[in-house]
Amino acid sequence: MDLIEVIGGRGTPYLCPNISALDRHIVRLYTHIKNTGPLFRELIQELWDDIDLLLDRRRFLELDLQVSDTPDGDR
């Protein structure tokens, strides 16, 4: 079974069945960071940590796509 959900540091679930869904989460989190005041440093760090988790998932999906595109990918 493929991992399709990433759980953020605060328990926030991010459904990530594909790269485009994942990218939407990253953009939303980045926008939230930009709109959050500097007094909320802990929240900003938590959001960056969630982005890091999502980027890890993104890299996994990219590698999975590369394997699927190879002639031996259907093993």
Side-chain angles (χ1 to χ4, degrees), residues 10-74:
R10 295 178 297 148
T12 306
Y14 301 100
L15 257 163
C16 304
N18 55 47
I19 290 176
S20 62
L22 202 141
D23 286 346
R24 286 191 296 274
H25 292 303
I26 292 171
V27 168
R28 186 179 54 78
L29 288 169
Y30 183 72
T31 300
H32 193 95
I33 289 169
K34 285 181 15 181
N35 294 328
T36 300
L39 296 176
F40 298 99
R41 286 184 285 189
E42 286 182 27
L43 173 61
I44 291 171
Q45 184 58 53
E46 289 173 359
L47 296 171
W48 277 119
D49 291 345
D50 283 3
I51 288 175
D52 286 342
L53 289 171
L54 293 169
L55 288 172
D56 288 344
R57 170 66 177 149
R58 190 179 203 291
R59 183 65 185 141
F60 174 80
L61 287 174
E62 289 171 347
L63 290 172
D64 193 41
L65 285 175
Q66 289 174 3
V67 169
S68 297
D69 289 342
T70 63
D72 294 335
D74 57 351

